[in-house]
Amino acid sequence: MEELVLEKGSPENIGGRLEKEIRCYEFLDSLGIEYYRCDHPDANANTMDDCLKIDAILEATVCKNLFLCNRQQTEFYLLMMPGDKVFKTKELSSQIGTARLSFASPEHMEKYLDITPGSVSILGLMNDKDGVVNLLVDEDVLKDEYVGCHPCINTTSLKIRTEDLFGCVLEKLGHKMTTVRLIGE
């Protein structure tokens, strides 16, 4: 892996970047919030091990972002939880009043968030104009000063102040969050 560098704001050169990634930068820039970016094109953040290396540069909360649905595939959830917690379906299901949760299909992920597996991010909610996806955030994610997330593609990671992400960013996305408490042991 080449040396990772943390840069402030959007890239100067957007050549070769996907439209959905560029939309993320334009969205964040329109809000006037400060954010940092780490490009890692040769190290897709597909595994938590990859994410740990990248997040060491970001110095932000390492999140698992899981795209879930109910058995009938009529309710969809984006769960943000610390990367070191174990996800237990039963634990979350009881808190949100859903009988059974499973991972949603890549087709649903693409349809509602315009994201492919491995790139799930809270910023994908900007593509959920109909408010189909419910945001669930483990309370521990909210404790640190910064959160790391992808700009809808896993070859770049962003560092955003937690209060900005769950404040003005989430408000502008038009979504509300439900805070959950996961033990994950």
Side-chain angles (χ1 to χ4, degrees), residues 122 135 165-177:
I122 186 173
L135 178 62
L165 188 61
F166 295 107
C168 65
V169 171
L170 192 57
E171 182 180 319
K172 191 68 172 177
L173 289 171
H175 282 70
K176 294 182 177 8
M177 75 171 169

Side-chain angles (χ1 to χ4, degrees), residues 22-160:
I22 296 166
R23 282 195 317 265
C24 288
Y25 301 133
E26 290 170 346
F27 171 71
L28 293 171
D29 291 344
S30 76
L31 297 175
I33 64 166
E34 181 178 82
Y35 64 95
Y36 297 87
R37 174 183 46 82
C38 177
D39 294 321
H40 41 84
D42 61 337
N44 292 352
N46 287 322
T47 67
M48 286 311 295
D49 283 341
D50 291 339
C51 292
L52 289 173
K53 293 173 191 168
I54 295 161
D55 288 335
I57 299 298
L58 291 179
E59 296 179 331
T61 296
V62 180
C63 284
K64 281 183 196 172
N65 295 279
L66 306 177
F67 189 56
L68 308 166
C69 66
N70 63 356
R71 182 187 318 217
Q72 299 80 13
Q73 297 183 18
T74 56
E75 295 180 26
F76 296 88
Y77 304 91
L78 171 58
L79 171 64
M80 295 178 70
M81 63 185 285
D84 58 356
K85 281 192 180 181
V86 176
F87 173 62
K88 293 185 178 179
T89 306
K90 184 178 180 182
E91 183 180 26
L92 179 61
S93 295
S94 65
Q95 289 185 53
I96 62 171
T98 299
R100 184 173 169 218
L101 290 173
S102 61
F103 291 99
S105 70
E107 293 78 20
H108 283 115
M109 190 182 299
E110 191 118 22
K111 176 180 178 180
Y112 296 120
L113 301 177
D114 191 21
I115 292 179
T116 54
S119 300
V120 178
S121 168
I122 186 173
L123 293 176
L125 293 175
M126 67 189 286
N127 302 309
D128 179 26
K129 304 292 186 204
D130 296 325
V132 173
V133 180
N134 300 291
L135 178 62
L136 307 173
V137 181
D138 180 82
E139 64 186 11
D140 288 339
V141 170
L142 304 171
K143 292 179 179 177
D144 289 331
E145 185 177 3
Y146 291 96
V147 173
C149 65
H150 295 303
C152 297
I153 187 72
N154 66 358
T155 54
T156 298
S157 296
L158 303 178
K159 174 182 177 175
I160 303 173

